[in-house]
Amino acid sequence: MRLSTKGRYAVTAMLDLALNGQDGPVTLSDISENQGISLSYLEQLFAALRARKLVRGVRGPGGGYFLGRPADEISIADIICAVDEWVEFTRCRGKEDCRGGQRCLTHSLWDDLSRQIYDFLTDITLADLVARGLEKEQTCQGKKDSATLESRAA
Amino acid sequence: MRLSTKGRYAVTAMLDLALNGQDGPVTLSDISENQGISLSYLEQLFAALRARKLVRGVRGPGGGYFLGRPADEISIADIICAVDEWVEFTRCRGKEDCRGGQRCLTHSLWDDLSRQIYDFLTDITLADLVARGLEKEQTCQGKKDSATLESRAA
DNA sequence: CTATTAACTGAGTAATTTACTCGGTAATTA
DNA sequence: TAATTACCGAGTAAATTACTCAGTTAATAG
């Protein structure tokens, strides 16, 4: 498993689709502006997402992107794996011999952990995130009553 | 949260200490050989780990590294945060205004997820990993049902 | 006391990944 | 037909990863 800013970009972009894709397709330009990512980089990310059928593109004016499946059928792990090209699972299985046993043991422990994280993220869908977020009704600036999570330092 | 090969190196190295640090300190040379990482790179990683008191160094012949605390008091999140310099939490809180609300919402959803992953990894200690690994008694090559996990190297 | 060991430190750099720029083509709509 | 937007690929700047090298301290063994 791997968790980088690239994966974050992909997840937030997909969230953007989940939130705004109800009425019509969302353009990459919109996402680019919303998320502060360059258009070309988004195109690269969406090429990977499209290859995994996580999004569907519509050309022409009024076009843009839709989610490829309902939001409750897209897990965070799906998204991250799509852009981060994760495999690299037990690398000492083939080329690296593990005669010593020690190296092999630590690697298999890591793979075990990696698998746990993967399973964890497989159980969380885009829909889950959106639902959990809406239920809190937290907008960044909002901060109504007692909470005051971060009070205007500057 | 961030999960890179750098974090993996740190975790497997710490696992190495947890597994071999019983009798005496473990040298970076040993770890370097076990894990296939260069000595200098390990020194960099251990500088960060030492700064967070996750390891304790002993100089001179017969020296090496110990865990800074018992293995059941060191979480995976501790290790990863030490080397990956993670902070970057809700980046739209200060400099980026979130008038649109859209960008802000996706970011806060991401931060929410990031927090979940962090909590998940905070609950897993080095000792947990080792215990879980031993209980499975999985060696990479061996896979014979009887023991074999410590097969005499040095 | 001397030599060796191994932790520490820091500057410099190759390799890789991230993120972007640019210049296009293909499909769709008005 | 013209505008729009997905789609495509080569080239590159910036950042991070991972390493080499060249030392210095501290502790131990002889």
Side-chain angles (χ1 to χ4, degrees):
Chain A
M1 201 65 211
R2 198 138 166 266
L3 200 51
S4 61
T5 60
K6 196 174 177 184
R8 189 188 69 204
Y9 284 150
V11 171
T12 52
M14 291 290 281
L15 280 169
D16 222 325
L17 290 193
L19 290 165
N20 299 340
Q22 315 295 4
D23 331 294
V26 182
T27 69
L28 289 189
S29 305
D30 287 342
I31 299 178
S32 170
E33 207 172 331
N34 282 344
Q35 308 291 336
I37 318 172
S38 86
L39 185 59
S40 292
Y41 194 43
L42 271 177
E43 281 172 345
Q44 278 183 38
L45 296 181
F46 272 72
L49 294 172
R50 189 159 33 80
R52 307 285 186 108
K53 311 267 190 197
L54 295 178
V55 297
R56 183 169 52 85
V58 178
R59 296 192 189 193
Y65 280 97
F66 287 108
L67 291 180
R69 309 194 284 264
D72 61 353
E73 293 175 21
I74 298 178
S75 77
I76 304 303
D78 287 336
I79 300 169
I80 289 174
C81 287
V83 299
D84 267 340
E85 215 62 63
W86 175 56
V87 188
E88 183 214 337
F89 200 62
T90 339
R91 88 158 125 176
C92 57
R93 185 146 300 170
K95 49 186 173 182
E96 315 268 21
D97 61 346
C98 32
R99 271 164 303 174
Q102 200 48 247
R103 173 183 193 169
C104 161
L105 182 53
T106 56
H107 281 176
S108 89
L109 290 177
W110 171 263
D111 287 340
D112 201 39
L113 175 65
S114 189
R115 169 76 74 175
Q116 284 183 57
I117 299 171
Y118 178 79
D119 289 343
F120 179 73
L121 292 180
T122 299
D123 282 337
I124 303 179
T125 67
L126 275 185
D128 288 334
L129 267 190
V130 170
R132 250 176 271 187
L134 291 182
E135 129 194 339
K136 284 193 196 171
E137 281 191 355
Q138 56 177 344
T139 61
C140 235
Q141 48 186 9
K143 112 257 247 206
K144 28 200 68 170
D145 54 349
S146 52
T148 329
L149 32 104
E150 200 58 78
S151 58
R152 290 286 43 234
Chain B
M1 200 67 210
R2 197 135 169 267
L3 200 50
S4 61
T5 59
K6 197 175 177 184
R8 189 188 68 204
Y9 284 150
V11 171
T12 52
M14 291 290 282
L15 279 168
D16 222 325
L17 290 194
L19 290 164
N20 300 340
Q22 316 294 4
D23 332 295
V26 182
T27 69
L28 290 189
S29 307
D30 288 342
I31 299 178
S32 169
E33 208 172 330
N34 282 345
Q35 308 290 335
I37 316 173
S38 86
L39 185 59
S40 292
Y41 194 42
L42 271 178
E43 281 171 345
Q44 277 183 37
L45 296 180
F46 272 73
L49 294 172
R50 189 159 32 81
R52 307 286 187 106
K53 313 266 191 199
L54 296 178
V55 297
R56 182 169 51 87
V58 178
R59 297 191 187 192
Y65 280 96
F66 287 108
L67 291 180
R69 311 194 281 264
D72 61 354
E73 293 175 22
I74 298 178
S75 76
I76 304 302
D78 287 335
I79 300 168
I80 290 175
C81 286
V83 299
D84 267 342
E85 215 59 63
W86 176 57
V87 187
E88 188 214 336
F89 201 60
T90 337
R91 88 158 126 173
C92 57
R93 187 149 301 170
K95 50 185 172 183
E96 313 270 20
D97 60 347
C98 33
R99 270 164 303 173
Q102 200 47 246
R103 175 182 193 170
C104 160
L105 182 52
T106 56
H107 282 176
S108 89
L109 290 177
W110 171 264
D111 286 339
D112 201 39
L113 174 65
S114 189
R115 169 77 72 174
Q116 284 182 58
I117 299 170
Y118 177 79
D119 289 343
F120 179 72
L121 292 179
T122 299
D123 282 338
I124 303 178
T125 67
L126 274 184
D128 289 333
L129 267 190
V130 169
R132 250 176 272 188
L134 292 182
E135 130 193 339
K136 283 194 196 172
E137 284 189 354
Q138 55 179 344
T139 63
C140 232
Q141 50 181 13
K143 78 173 41 199
K144 50 185 65 170
D145 39 21
S146 45
T148 331
L149 59 83
E150 202 64 81
S151 59
R152 289 294 57 229

